Amino acid sequence: MSAPLGVGGLPEVRQDPEGLRDAARRLELAAIEAGISVSDMTGHWQELSTSYEAPEGGQALSAMADVEAPAASFSDALDEAASALRLYADDVEQIRSELDTLSAEVRLHGDDVDRFEASGDEAWSDDPLLSTMDANLRRRAADLEERLESATRTFAALVSGIDVDTSGLPSVVGGDAPLGPDDLVPADTFQRWYDVLDDYDSELFSRLQSWAQLDPDDLERLVAERPEVLDALVQAQPDPEAVAAWWASLAPVAGGLSAAQRSLARNVPSVLGNLEGLPYDVRDRANRDVLAEERREKGDAVADLDEQIAALRQRAADDPVAARGMGQELNALVSERDALAADLEDLDALHETLGRELSEGEAPRATTRTLVAYDSTGERPLAAVGIGDLGKADTVSYLVSGMGSNVAGMPDAVAEANRVRLREQSNAPDQTIATVAWLDYRSPPKPWEGVPTEVLDTDRAVVGGDRLAASLRGLETVAAADGSSPYLATMAHSYGTTVVFEALKQDGSPVDVAALYGSAGVDVRSTDEIEVPPDGIYATEALGVPFFGGGDGIADVGRIGSGRADPRDFDDVVGFSSGEATAPGGHGLEASRGHSQYLLEDSTSVWNLGLIGVGRGDEVIR
Amino acid sequence: MTRYAIEPAEVRTTVTLVAADAAGLETEQTAAGDAVSSATAAAVDPVAVTALGDFWDSVGLVLPRVSQHAHDCVQGVLTATSAYLDADVQMATSAIAASGMGQP
C-alpha cells in the first residue's frame, strides 16, 4: 500500500524573492548612477573647449563621445536584468504562496488518512474520496514544480537575451575572455585616476627641479616668457615626499636658504608658496611676498585710476560742453576703480589678519599665523592660514569653510579657527595645537549672491577635495620630516563637508577624525567609500527654519536639491549636539541657530569640536 | 589655422572632474557586480545562476572598456598639455593621436 502524499514530497522553493528584488533595486540604482556619471563625464570633457585650443582640439573633444552608446547600453542592460529579476521574484513568490496552501492541504489530507486507517481495516487508497484527493494534490504539486522550472527557464532566457553594444571601444587588457565580477573591478579604482594626474604633476615638478639649476636671471626671463607654465605649477600637486626630499637636497648644509632656493623664492614665489611638502616658513614667506606684490600692484592701479578720474572730472569742469560725452567713460572708470579697491580691501584684511612675519629661523609660537597657501591664478584669490606651529604640532585641525567663502571672509575664518584652537588647548593642555582656516578652494557662491544652483553641484567639491587631500598629505610629510605624526582633524561647515568627503575618498588619507556641521550633503552611499578610522566621523545640525524634514534651514535645502546624503543618516556617524547644553561642571553652553552660528563663542558645537579635535570625541555632548 | 592656446591649470581642473566621474563609473561597476552576485545567491537554481554568470561575463565588460577609453583620452590630453608646456606642439599633436582619439 502506497503512502499518501506528504509535505516532504512537495517541490522545494529555495529561491529568495526578497533577495531577487533587492538585487533588482541595486541594479537599477547602479544603472541610474552609471548614466549620471557618464553624462557628467562627457559634459565635463566638453569644458576642454575653453581651455584646450589647438589644431587637434576638435579631435580630442569628440573622442569622449564614443563612451556614450556603450554606457547607455550598460545601463539598459542592468535595467532589463532588474526587470527580469522582479518578474522572477513575483513568479517565485506566487508559487511559494500556492505551495504553502498546498502544504496545508497535504497535512489535512494526511490527518484524514490517519483517521480513516484508525477507524477500520480498509486501506485508505481504496477509499474513492481519499484516493481522488491524493491524486489531485499530487497533480497540483507537479504543476507547481513545472511552473517553478518554467519561471526559471523564462528568467534565464530573458537574462541571456540581454545584449550590450561595445562597438568603438577598445578591449580591456587581457582580451574578452569570460571573467568573474572580481576580475573586472580593479582593486583600487579611484586611485588609478589620480595616478594619471600624479604622473602629470610629477612631470611639471621635474620642470621646477630643472629651474633650480638655472642662473637666477635666466629663470627670471623664462618665467616672464611662459606665465602659463607658472600657473600650471601653482596648480600642480606633486608628491610631497618627493618635494621635501628635493628641497632638502638643494641646501645640504643646514641653516638658511641656498643660492638655488633663494633664486626660486625670488622668481617663483607663487609656486613655492603652494607646494606641499615644503617647510611652512618657506611657504609663508613666499606667499606673503606674492600678497605684498599684489597689494602693491592693486594699490598702484587704484591710485592710477583715481588720477584718471580726477583728470576727467577736471576736464569736465573746464569744458562743460565736452563733459556731456564723458559720463559713460567716467562711470566705467569709477566702476573699475571700486572693484579694484574692494579687492585691495580683501587683501589688506588678509594681510592684517596674518600679523607679523617671522624672521628667518625664528620658531613659530602658538599664536603665529602662517599663510599656508595663496593662489591668485583664478578670478579671486584662494588662501589658507595656519595658527600655531603646523609642522610640529601634536594636534592639527583643518577648518574647511562652506559656500560663499573667500579671502574677504578670512578674518572671520581665522578668528573661528583660533576659537577652536583655544578650546582644544584647554582640553589638551600638554599638547601643542595648531589649526588651519582653509579657504583654498573655489567655493560655490551663496544662492542669493550668484548662480543659485552652483552649491547643488558637486564639481567644486571634487576639485576642492583634491586640493585639500594634497594639503593634508603635505602636512603629514612636513610633520614626518620632524619626526612627528599629528592627530589630524578636518572640521567642515556646509559645502565644506562635501569637500572633505571628496578628499577622504582618496587613498592614504592621514585624517584621524572628521567633524561636520550643517552639512550640505556628502556624495557617497556609505562611509565605506571614504578613509577615516572607525567611529571617526561626527556630525551635527542646528535648529533652524526646517524645510523638508528638519535641519538648519539651509543645509537641508542643499542636501535635498543636490541629492547628496545627510551624513547623520549613516549608522557609523556619531551625532553631537549644537543645541543649548550644560557642560560638565555646570557651565552653560549656547545653542547655534540657523546655518551660520556653529562656531559661536561659548557654543555647544565649539565645545564639542574642542573635544573631537584632540581625540576625545567619546566625551561630546550629544 | 587654429592657434595653440592651452590653459594647463584649467585642463587640470577638467581632468580632475572627468577622473572623479570615471571613478564614479567604476564604483557603479562594483555595485552592479555585487548586485549580480546577490542575485545569484538569491536565485539558487543552477539554470538561473548560469544565466546570470553569462550576463555579467558580457555586460561586465562594458564599463572597463568605457573606463579604459576615458583613461586614454585623459592621458592623451595631459600628455599633450605637458608637451605644449615644453613648447613641443608636434608632440602635443602626436599625443592626441597616440591616445586612441584618432588622427587629427
Side-chain angles (χ1 to χ4, degrees):
Chain A
M1 184 174 63
S2 63
L5 177 65
V7 173
L10 294 175
E12 189 183 359
V13 178
R14 290 184 300 140
Q15 289 88 339
D16 169 15
E18 270 317 301
L20 294 171
R21 288 198 186 97
D22 179 60
R25 267 192 302 274
R26 288 160 57 194
L27 281 177
E28 283 166 344
L29 185 61
I32 291 168
E33 294 290 341
I36 292 171
S37 289
V38 166
S39 170
D40 285 350
M41 188 166 77
T42 52
H44 285 138
W45 188 254
Q46 290 307 308
E47 290 171 14
L48 282 175
S49 64
T50 59
S51 58
Y52 193 95
E53 195 179 332
E56 73 279 4
Q59 200 81 35
L61 271 182
S62 61
M64 196 61 88
D66 291 344
V67 305
E68 286 175 352
S73 166
F74 174 82
S75 290
D76 290 347
L78 296 192
D79 278 336
E80 284 182 52
S83 297
L85 282 168
R86 285 187 193 285
L87 188 66
Y88 191 31
D90 290 347
D91 285 347
V92 168
E93 199 165 63
Q94 179 64 30
I95 291 165
R96 176 175 281 175
S97 166
E98 291 181 35
L99 200 55
D100 287 346
T101 306
L102 184 61
S103 182
E105 290 181 37
V106 165
R107 280 197 193 87
L108 288 174
H109 174 60
D111 292 346
D112 289 344
V113 167
D114 289 345
R115 271 193 296 275
F116 180 86
E117 289 187 333
S119 65
D121 297 335
E122 204 177 345
W124 71 270
S125 53
D126 294 334
D127 180 77
L129 206 62
L130 288 176
S131 63
T132 303
M133 172 60 82
D134 193 73
N136 179 36
L137 292 172
R138 286 178 189 279
R139 193 168 50 252
R140 285 167 59 196
D143 177 54
L144 285 177
E145 187 165 21
E146 167 51 28
R147 278 171 56 198
L148 184 60
E149 284 173 8
S150 171
T152 301
R153 283 195 303 273
T154 302
F155 169 72
L158 286 172
V159 169
S160 300
I162 298 170
D163 203 8
V164 283
D165 171 19
T166 55
S167 56
L169 288 178
S171 297
V172 287
V173 177
D176 287 350
L179 300 167
D182 291 343
D183 298 319
L184 291 167
V185 183
D188 201 356
T189 55
F190 200 82
Q191 197 56 35
R192 185 161 75 93
W193 285 95
Y194 283 96
D195 287 347
V196 184
L197 280 162
D198 287 347
D199 290 346
Y200 170 73
D201 290 339
S202 294
E203 224 174 294
L204 282 170
F205 176 49
S206 66
R207 280 188 187 80
L208 183 64
Q209 290 173 293
S210 67
W211 286 1
Q213 312 303 322
L214 293 177
D215 176 84
D217 293 338
D218 288 344
L219 177 56
E220 188 177 356
R221 266 196 302 278
L222 189 147
V223 168
E225 283 170 15
R226 301 297 303 278
E228 72 274 24
V229 181
L230 207 60
D231 282 1
L233 269 164
V234 171
Q235 301 295 320
Q237 296 160 7
D239 174 22
E241 288 184 21
V243 169
W246 162 73
W247 186 255
S249 75
L250 292 178
V253 181
L257 296 183
S258 67
Q261 288 172 328
R262 285 189 194 286
S263 170
L264 290 167
R266 195 188 86 196
N267 289 302
V268 292
S270 61
V271 176
L272 295 195
N274 294 285
L275 199 55
E276 300 296 345
L278 246 54
Y280 287 112
D281 59 331
V282 173
R283 292 175 62 177
D284 180 53
R285 262 192 294 283
N287 285 325
R288 285 180 190 248
D289 286 349
V290 175
L291 177 62
E293 178 62 21
E294 289 184 355
R295 287 174 61 225
R296 197 162 33 245
E297 282 175 5
K298 285 198 195 301
D300 289 348
V302 169
D304 185 46
L305 284 164
D306 280 340
E307 277 181 26
Q308 289 182 49
I309 291 165
L312 204 59
R313 284 190 169 136
Q314 186 60 51
R315 273 172 50 204
D318 294 345
D319 184 355
V321 178
R324 270 180 258 155
M326 292 179 190
Q328 208 171 354
E329 189 184 353
L330 190 61
N331 281 340
L333 283 175
V334 169
S335 295
E336 190 183 349
R337 186 252 176 234
D338 288 351
L340 266 174
D343 288 350
L344 180 59
E345 208 171 301
D346 291 348
L347 300 189
D348 286 346
L350 175 58
H351 171 74
E352 289 298 319
T353 302
L354 290 172
R356 184 177 71 83
E357 180 178 342
L358 295 183
S359 55
E360 206 167 300
E362 184 183 351
R365 290 191 298 273
T367 55
T368 297
R369 288 169 186 188
T370 306
L371 190 51
V372 176
Y374 182 72
D375 173 1
S376 58
T377 55
E379 273 178 37
R380 296 195 79 164
L382 309 175
V385 174
I387 309 171
D389 191 349
L390 280 181
K392 293 185 175 167
D394 299 317
T395 297
V396 181
S397 297
Y398 271 62
L399 278 81
V400 181
S401 297
M403 65 177 179
S405 53
N406 54 59
V407 286
M410 188 57 95
D412 287 342
V414 169
E416 290 167 348
N418 196 44
R419 197 168 294 150
V420 171
R421 183 185 68 83
L422 290 171
R423 176 49 52 197
E424 289 180 339
Q425 191 71 75
S426 71
N427 288 326
D430 298 334
Q431 293 187 22
T432 50
I433 308 278
T435 50
V436 180
W438 198 84
L439 278 65
D440 194 24
Y441 78 105
R442 286 182 59 226
S443 78
K446 292 172 181 167
W448 51 93
E449 290 176 353
V451 179
T453 52
E454 285 251 38
V455 72
L456 306 180
D457 195 304
T458 307
D459 286 2
R460 291 185 187 227
V462 169
V463 179
D466 194 33
R467 291 172 77 94
L468 177 61
S471 184
L472 296 167
R473 283 197 303 271
L475 177 85
E476 185 187 33
T477 301
V478 173
D482 195 55
S484 59
S485 174
Y487 186 78
L488 185 52
T490 50
M491 302 178 173
H493 176 226
S494 186
Y495 195 80
T497 66
T498 320
V499 174
V500 163
F501 261 53
E502 292 303 314
L504 296 180
K505 283 179 181 174
Q506 293 198 20
D507 277 8
S509 163
V511 170
D512 293 295
V513 69
L516 318 171
Y517 31 99
S519 175
V522 292
D523 194 23
V524 295
R525 283 192 211 163
S526 80
T527 51
D528 292 344
E529 293 180 40
I530 61 168
E531 283 203 17
V532 173
D535 297 328
I537 308 171
Y538 294 79
T540 190
E541 189 151 326
L543 288 175
V545 185
F547 267 72
F548 317 90
D552 68 15
I554 299 287
D556 39 349
V557 178
R559 292 192 298 267
I560 290 162
S562 65
R564 294 186 293 254
D566 184 341
R568 295 174 301 162
D569 290 343
F570 298 130
D571 291 339
D572 51 351
V573 170
V574 182
F576 66 94
S577 173
S578 48
E580 194 175 302
T582 304
H587 180 65
L589 297 169
E590 289 181 27
S592 305
R593 299 201 185 280
H595 190 60
S596 306
Q597 293 191 346
Y598 291 101
L599 298 178
L600 281 184
E601 184 102 46
D602 227 11
S603 61
T604 306
S605 46
V606 167
W607 173 273
N608 282 330
L609 290 174
L611 289 165
I612 294 167
V614 296
R616 291 172 52 186
D618 54 336
E619 298 173 43
V620 293
I621 299 169
R622 302 194 182 201
Chain B
M1 178 185 163
T2 310
R3 67 189 180 93
Y4 273 87
I6 297 175
E7 294 174 40
E10 287 302 311
V11 169
R12 195 190 188 289
T13 296
T14 299
V15 166
T16 303
L17 291 170
V18 169
D21 296 332
L25 210 54
E26 294 179 7
T27 300
E28 297 318 319
Q29 168 85 356
T30 308
D34 288 347
V36 171
S37 294
S38 297
T40 301
V44 184
D45 189 295
V47 173
V49 168
T50 301
L52 282 166
D54 292 345
F55 165 77
W56 191 244
D57 281 346
S58 154
V59 174
L61 286 169
V62 177
L63 286 195
R65 287 183 174 192
V66 166
S67 178
Q68 184 64 49
H69 183 70
H71 198 269
D72 290 346
C73 290
V74 161
Q75 187 73 71
V77 162
L78 286 180
T79 305
T81 302
S82 200
Y84 166 75
L85 288 170
D86 279 339
D88 189 345
V89 293
Q90 181 57 45
M91 190 182 157
T93 308
S94 304
I96 295 294
S99 69
M101 291 190 250
Q103 293 297 326

